[in-house]
Amino acid sequence: MNTRAKIEDAQVDDYISQLAALEAGKCRDPFAFLGLHQLDAKRSVVRCFIPGATEVKVLTNNSSYGLERFRKSALFTLDFKADDISKDYLLEVHYPEQTVTARDVYSFDSCLADDALYLFNEGTQAQAYLHLGAHQVEIEGVIGFRFGVWAPNALSVSVIGEFNHWQAVQHPMRLHPASGVWELFIPALEVDCCYKFAITTFEGERIEKADPFAFKMEQAPGTASITQARPAAFTLSQADHDKKALRNKINAPISIYEVHLGSWKRREEEGNRYLTYRELADDLIPYVKALGFTHLQLMPISEYPFDGSWGYQPVGLFSPTSRFGGVEDFAYFVECCHREELGLLIDWVPGHFPSDPHGLHKFDGTHLFEHADKRQGFHPDWNTYIFNYDRAEVKSFLLSNAMYWIKEYAIDGLRVDAVASMLYLDYSRKHGEWVPNQYGGRENLGAIECLKSVNTKCYGVDEGIMMVAEESTAWPGVTRSVEHDGLGFGYKWNMGWMNDTLNYMSKDPIHRKYHHHEMTFSMVYAYSENYILPLSHDEVVHGKGALLSKMPGDDWQQFANLRAYYGFMFAHPGKKLLFMGAELAPREEWDHNQQLNWKLLESEAHQGVYECVKALNTTYKSTPQLFECDNKSTGFNWIDGGNAEQSIFSFVRYGRDGVTPLVVIANFTPQTHFQFRLGVPLAGVYQVVLNTDDKEFWGSGVGVVAHKQQLIESKSIASHGFEQSIDITVPPLATVYLQLISGGTC
């Protein structure tokens, strides 16, 4: 039986003080006041603060007790005999139009693991997403959501959402002072509820922030996080894991199709809407497979507020964007990639974040995720904020995010955006606009260690993945192991090759002889890193024009130039990447607001480029000489790299056997060269396996050899330093591959 002892005078001041904090949404330690508390050996008290309630009862041990309202406030309280109430009591809350019965939020003990929080504060927590954020869990037989957020400098933090009418006064959180993490378990809360964290800064300002670890977020213009059961982690069979490891190895054929999901294809007949993840699984994956690509790379799919950023200014790093469906839909897309043995890479953006008020900027009222000094924490090019890589918790946040995609979805790897902007403190800054490191240098030591940690941990979880750096400078050892003082990436984009070769291709053929070195210079450093040759989205936006528009000449010559360039690219050492639409050869640069111009395939010229890309992928994958020794000097040898006058490049590619040659000759002028003698390393019969000037590709159809079999036998005539040579016709603006198929006669 309860003893309704009145609140003693000595307690009144404390109640008034606590009530004021609760009513202001500034309660720093709600568990010290709310819930069940033992007053002494004989008495306990239950206190609850429930705005809008007309009556509150405690249900326990088959008994019901009405709580008393304190001074007409939303604070209800009642004293009990110490043994009259059990910890699992229920609150029956009466509102004007409904009655709700549930466990008291403030009757649950903390369920956060101290060791996990310790690692988070240490900067080594690789799975912080299991501990922070919103998690559907069962505690003491009750299912609900446990919320956790890092906000060490906040005065108070509350969970707000649809379930409490976005009132910061109803669900104040518990602070773990040692870690700066706030936590609260809300029983009976279901999935698909919008929520945020209402944070009171020490200056008294109220700010509302989305959950940095949310698995699901609203699509813009909405800014809330959404309660979501943790996606079931993918578990690949050993056979599937082995296949993934094989397709990502340095001696494997890797041809990547880069995609912006919002503009690859749309449903124009339905208001120009996006395709869903499930529709993309049905349409995009078979399309990429049919074109012969081995990998699909998605531009950033972490939730982002501004479409014009293409995902490169993310807010919800753990949340697949809801533009294309829910978390389960994205998981289906990933599963389809696994099933089709199509490698899946995702763009990852750890270099900066936007200034949206619900995002990471000044998260708890202080510069928590970014440096306070604008010379270190603000990116002048993109008007974004730079992560403070020197802060341990920021390292745990980024490390956990990388691990989330690798471990939970079993994707093939991450392409890390804008690595150069992370490595250099003076990146895009003038003298006096940056702060040197502790040694007086320009290297961002925190970012370097962060990248090393991410690569080490991700490869440690799955050595069969590929971590790719978009790094545009000559930083040494990007793909060298961390143990040997490298950054630990598996691959690096060869931006130098891209810039040089595109500059060469943009020249009129009559002037190309003066720029010959731009096509050969990449071989000076070709083996310094494990390279990917990228023709990415960055080359077809912001007034740069489409690839086709960069090509000189009349209509036929533009298409021929582009096909020859693709042929040269696929023969050059390094893995390959083409941005979506490269196979269609559009004349207009990419527009993220509309789908690719699929009607181009009705044109013979554009269809020819499509067929050429398809043939290049097929030949590439079936020809070991083109991929097995990309990072070894034994895999390449010039036949003639100095023929500037004719703008002809010829070289040999070798596979692991180091014996069987694939001869490549590329002519970058419109002139046809008849009876062209080309030295070859071995005697025998050579077969034309690909000619970008083939009529099938809308080429001129000038035959490399006179007869249809496309076979030619070498002669004992010395040329280009070789004892053997072949006599061929070199087509105009074309790249030709010749495979040694046997010795003897035709």
Side-chain angles (χ1 to χ4, degrees):
M1 182 176 180
N2 63 313
T3 57
R4 294 175 177 266
K6 292 186 177 181
I7 299 172
E8 298 176 3
D9 291 341
Q11 294 176 297
V12 170
D13 289 344
D14 180 52
Y15 272 54
I16 292 174
S17 174
Q18 295 283 1
L19 178 59
L22 287 166
E23 288 178 334
K26 298 179 179 179
C27 184
R28 187 164 177 81
D29 192 7
F31 282 84
F33 182 69
L34 300 178
L36 174 64
H37 295 272
Q38 188 167 343
L39 297 175
D40 54 38
K42 296 182 179 180
R43 292 188 306 156
S44 295
V45 64
V46 169
R47 306 185 192 101
C48 56
F49 181 77
I50 308 177
T54 59
E55 181 183 2
V56 181
K57 294 180 180 180
V58 165
L59 309 180
T60 182
N61 299 329
N62 298 317
S63 298
S64 173
Y65 307 104
L67 276 68
E68 295 181 349
R69 186 189 295 272
F70 178 72
R71 294 191 174 184
K72 298 182 180 181
S73 70
L75 176 63
F76 296 82
T77 180
L78 186 64
D79 285 11
F80 293 82
K81 286 183 179 180
D83 57 356
D84 272 0
I85 184 169
S86 60
K87 185 178 181 295
D88 60 351
Y89 64 91
L90 299 177
L91 291 179
E92 182 182 280
V93 183
H94 295 258
Y95 296 98
E97 296 183 358
Q98 65 175 334
T99 298
V100 177
T101 301
R103 280 283 299 271
D104 186 356
V105 171
Y106 298 96
S107 68
F108 294 93
D109 295 327
S110 172
C111 59
L112 283 181
D114 289 338
D115 57 345
L117 297 183
Y118 174 81
L119 295 176
F120 177 72
N121 294 132
E122 188 184 56
T124 58
Q125 176 54 268
Q127 291 182 277
Y129 59 86
L130 297 180
H131 308 282
L132 301 180
H135 292 268
Q136 190 175 46
V137 296
E138 181 176 331
I139 301 177
E140 299 174 15
V142 179
I143 297 175
F145 270 86
R146 183 198 72 213
F147 295 87
V149 61
W150 178 56
N153 303 308
L155 177 64
S156 66
V157 182
S158 298
V159 183
I160 59 174
E162 299 171 317
F163 44 87
N164 62 16
H165 305 288
W166 301 96
Q167 297 183 77
V169 299
Q170 193 155 332
H171 288 109
M173 303 178 76
R174 167 197 283 120
L175 173 64
H176 293 254
S179 63
V181 170
W182 300 75
E183 173 219 3
L184 189 69
F185 173 70
I186 302 180
L189 192 61
E190 298 181 349
V191 298
D192 289 329
C193 288
C194 291
Y195 73 96
K196 283 185 179 179
F197 295 115
I199 298 173
T200 304
T201 72
F202 260 96
E203 288 74 26
E205 180 187 3
R206 173 71 52 75
I207 54 179
E208 296 181 358
K209 293 290 187 177
D211 182 357
F213 287 91
F215 295 135
K216 186 176 182 180
M217 293 188 69
E218 281 189 305
Q219 183 179 344
T223 58
S225 304
I226 301 175
T227 55
Q228 166 73 42
R230 178 186 161 205
F234 280 89
T235 303
L236 298 181
S237 67
Q238 187 59 50
D240 287 339
H241 185 273
D242 292 344
K243 290 175 183 176
K244 181 171 78 168
L246 285 174
R247 67 174 171 257
N248 296 329
K249 291 179 66 175
I250 190 62
N251 62 357
I254 295 178
S255 181
I256 305 166
Y257 188 74
E258 183 192 24
V259 174
H260 177 260
L261 291 180
S263 59
W264 178 71
K265 187 180 288 186
R266 294 190 178 187
R267 291 288 186 261
E268 291 184 323
E269 69 280 6
E270 299 177 30
N272 202 35
R273 72 165 176 85
Y274 297 128
L275 269 65
T276 67
Y277 288 119
R278 292 180 180 271
E279 290 171 331
L280 287 161
D282 293 340
D283 290 4
L284 175 60
I285 294 174
Y287 178 83
V288 173
K289 290 281 290 184
L291 265 174
F293 288 94
T294 62
H295 290 68
L296 176 63
Q297 179 175 309
L298 305 183
M299 289 168 67
I301 52 93
S302 293
E303 194 62 76
Y304 53 100
F306 177 47
D307 281 358
S309 77
W310 316 326
Y312 289 101
Q313 294 189 12
V315 168
L317 283 171
F318 291 84
S319 173
T321 177
S322 55
R323 287 167 173 79
F324 315 114
V327 175
E328 296 81 4
D329 301 315
F330 176 71
Y332 174 80
F333 178 86
V334 176
E335 182 182 1
C336 289
C337 288
H338 289 321
R339 187 185 309 137
E340 293 299 321
E341 299 180 20
L342 180 66
L344 178 62
L345 306 174
I346 294 177
D347 261 5
W348 186 50
V349 188
H352 62 135
F353 57 89
S355 59
D356 296 77
H358 65 289
L360 298 179
H361 175 51
K362 296 193 73 172
F363 188 80
D364 63 358
T366 67
H367 295 278
L368 193 61
F369 285 87
E370 73 275 15
H371 279 282
D373 191 329
K374 288 188 68 173
R375 295 174 299 170
Q376 296 172 285
F378 184 74
H379 203 298
D381 285 354
W382 303 316
N383 291 320
T384 53
Y385 292 93
I386 301 169
F387 284 103
N388 182 353
Y389 306 105
D390 297 312
R391 189 155 199 167
E393 293 87 353
V394 172
K395 290 181 181 179
S396 286
F397 175 72
L398 293 173
L399 171 60
S400 295
N401 186 237
M403 288 284 285
Y404 174 69
W405 300 105
I406 297 294
K407 189 173 178 64
E408 302 299 315
Y409 287 103
I411 63 170
D412 285 64
L414 299 172
R415 176 267 192 187
V416 184
D417 178 62
V419 171
S421 75
M422 298 173 65
L423 295 175
Y424 298 97
L425 294 167
D426 63 344
Y427 183 87
S428 195
R429 297 178 187 273
K430 299 176 183 177
H431 179 71
E433 295 180 347
W434 58 282
V435 179
N437 63 33
Q438 64 193 70
Y439 305 108
R442 59 197 284 254
E443 300 81 12
N444 190 329
L445 303 180
I448 294 167
E449 290 309 309
C450 182
L451 289 171
K452 288 181 177 181
S453 176
V454 166
N455 287 326
T456 300
K457 292 292 179 66
C458 288
Y459 275 114
V461 167
D462 187 349
E463 61 182 11
I465 61 171
M466 52 188 294
M467 300 293 286
V468 182
E470 187 222 2
E471 203 285 308
S472 56
T473 73
W475 185 278
V478 173
T479 59
R480 193 188 308 142
S481 69
V482 171
E483 291 78 7
H484 292 88
D485 201 31
L487 294 181
F489 284 95
Y491 295 91
K492 171 183 172 175
W493 276 20
N494 193 336
M495 310 294 281
W497 173 89
M498 176 273 297
N499 284 313
D500 287 345
T501 57
L502 278 179
N503 187 63
Y504 175 89
M505 294 303 300
S506 69
K507 306 299 181 185
D508 189 287
I510 199 171
H511 300 304
R512 283 176 175 168
K513 61 184 178 181
Y514 304 112
H515 299 269
H516 195 78
H517 66 284
E518 292 180 355
M519 294 291 271
T520 60
F521 180 67
S522 57
M523 291 312 304
V524 174
Y525 60 87
Y527 315 113
S528 60
E529 304 279 4
N530 299 331
Y531 282 117
I532 292 174
L533 310 182
L535 292 176
S536 74
H537 66 277
D538 277 331
E539 314 325 314
V540 292
V541 290
H542 299 318
K544 295 177 184 177
L547 291 180
L548 184 67
S549 70
K550 301 177 195 292
M551 304 296 139
D554 59 22
D555 198 50
W556 185 90
Q557 289 185 11
Q558 282 188 303
F559 282 95
N561 268 301
L562 186 61
R563 295 191 307 268
Y565 181 44
Y566 287 167
F568 181 83
M569 171 189 184
F570 272 76
H572 189 285
K575 309 311 179 186
K576 325 301 174 188
L577 181 142
L578 289 177
F579 181 53
M580 65 178 199
E583 74 281 12
L584 306 179
R587 294 188 181 279
E588 301 79 23
E589 69 178 25
W590 170 55
D591 180 356
H592 72 274
N593 285 315
Q594 61 186 24
Q595 70 171 358
L596 297 179
N597 185 0
W598 295 101
K599 292 183 179 180
L600 292 176
L601 290 177
E602 298 172 5
S603 155
E604 283 188 88
H606 295 278
Q607 178 70 33
V609 175
Y610 174 93
E611 295 297 338
C612 183
V613 170
K614 185 175 181 180
L616 281 166
N617 271 324
T618 301
T619 304
Y620 171 64
K621 291 188 299 183
S622 62
T623 309
Q625 295 95 323
L626 290 175
F627 58 79
E628 285 187 339
C629 295
D630 276 333
N631 64 336
K632 299 178 181 178
S633 60
T634 55
F636 179 94
N637 189 33
W638 284 111
I639 296 175
D640 189 352
N643 189 354
E645 191 62 34
Q646 293 178 305
S647 295
I648 292 179
F649 304 85
S650 52
F651 53 89
V652 183
R653 293 297 309 274
Y654 293 99
R656 275 179 295 187
D657 67 8
V659 176
T660 309
L662 179 81
V663 173
V664 179
I665 184 166
N667 175 18
F668 287 107
T669 71
Q671 181 179 352
T672 302
H673 297 274
F674 297 97
Q675 295 181 322
F676 188 91
R677 186 151 299 279
L678 182 70
V680 292
L682 291 179
V685 177
Y686 288 79
Q687 180 178 26
V688 177
V689 293
L690 188 135
N691 175 9
T692 64
D693 187 52
D694 197 294
K695 283 187 176 180
E696 178 188 2
F697 309 141
W698 205 60
S700 70
V702 173
V704 179
V705 293
H707 41 83
K708 293 182 180 180
Q709 289 79 17
Q710 297 286 282
L711 300 176
I712 185 169
E713 187 174 5
S714 68
K715 304 294 184 182
S716 297
I717 302 174
S719 181
H720 295 101
F722 297 101
E723 295 181 358
Q724 294 284 318
S725 62
I726 55 177
D727 185 355
I728 60 173
T729 295
V730 180
L733 294 172
T735 298
V736 178
Y737 301 170
L738 300 114
Q739 174 81 62
L740 177 68
I741 59 172
S742 69
T745 59
C746 297

